[in-house]
Amino acid sequence: MALKLDLSKAYDHVEWGFLRAMMGKMRFDTRFVELILATVDSIRYKIGPGSHQLGLIVPERGICQGDPLSPNWFLIFAEGFSSLIRRFERDGRLRGYNSYVYCRANEKKTSNILHLLQLFEAASGQQVNFSMSSIFFSTNTPTDVRHQLYALLGMGMAGECSTYLGLPCTMGRNKDAILGFLKEKMHK
């Protein structure tokens, strides 16, 4: 089976420690990392109507939505997720590629996927949007196994017309139809 995962971009859940660790692993200069994190953790909120201030809120995680650097944070999170997938691959627990994860359609491999997602969520603060994620099964996967794994993962079946970045996720036997679709897209 293959999983197409959709990560929720939950700005208020970004873990600063994960961001720091990932930039360190990616060999960003320490002074640069400190400068960047100073922009993230310098946010303060005051709550109160009019001149009556009720308190100062000092967040310990999260980034401001609309922050011009936020697309870069999510690239760093994606790199962290890819690194975790590579570790699971080295251990023989899964196979992965970008936002797809491949594995045998069985309960043990599905448990490995859930463990991978839990590790990533706990470290980064980001979460998989299960309602937007989907599962592709090979044609030889029995229906009862499919239903069991849908329930375990809380994901739906990927439709035949599923797309990723505007391109079809699967190619059936009629490759001319798919290639015709691509040719039409290129002409547009």
Side-chain angles (χ1 to χ4, degrees), residues 28-39:
F28 281 86
D29 184 85
T30 305
R31 292 173 301 188
F32 178 75
V33 172
E34 294 306 319
L35 181 65
I36 290 298
L37 287 171
T39 67

Side-chain angles (χ1 to χ4, degrees), residues 37-88:
L37 287 171
T39 67
V40 172
D41 70 7
S42 64
I43 304 299
R44 304 291 183 263
Y45 301 100
K46 293 179 183 177
I47 297 177
S51 63
H52 297 95
Q53 184 176 325
L54 300 176
L56 181 68
I57 298 174
V58 180
E60 295 179 3
R61 68 178 187 180
I63 57 174
C64 292
Q65 196 164 358
D67 179 335
L69 293 174
S70 63
N72 299 302
W73 305 147
F74 290 103
L75 290 174
I76 291 172
F77 282 112
E79 178 58 31
F81 188 58
S82 294
S83 296
L84 189 57
I85 290 173
R86 285 191 298 274
R87 188 175 95 197
F88 271 61

Side-chain angles (χ1 to χ4, degrees), residues 95-165:
R95 301 207 25 92
Y97 179 76
N98 292 337
S99 63
Y100 281 90
V101 176
Y102 300 93
C103 67
R104 294 202 180 276
N106 63 42
E107 195 171 336
K108 179 162 178 48
K109 296 296 182 182
T110 302
S111 295
N112 288 338
I113 289 170
L114 289 172
H115 183 64
L116 169 107
L117 298 176
Q118 289 166 350
L119 285 173
F120 178 69
E121 289 177 359
S124 71
Q126 297 304 288
Q127 297 178 328
V128 171
N129 184 345
F130 287 94
S131 66
M132 296 297 289
S133 299
S134 52
I135 308 172
F136 298 87
F137 286 103
S138 64
T139 55
N140 64 350
T141 305
T143 304
D144 61 326
V145 171
R146 292 178 190 213
H147 290 296
Q148 177 190 18
L149 299 182
Y150 288 139
L152 267 171
L153 289 167
M155 294 181 191
M157 175 180 69
E160 289 184 26
C161 299
S162 294
T163 60
Y164 177 69
L165 300 177

Side-chain angles (χ1 to χ4, degrees), residues 170-182:
T170 59
M171 287 180 42
R173 296 195 184 277
N174 187 356
K175 295 189 182 19
D176 290 336
I178 298 298
L179 296 175
F181 166 81
L182 292 174

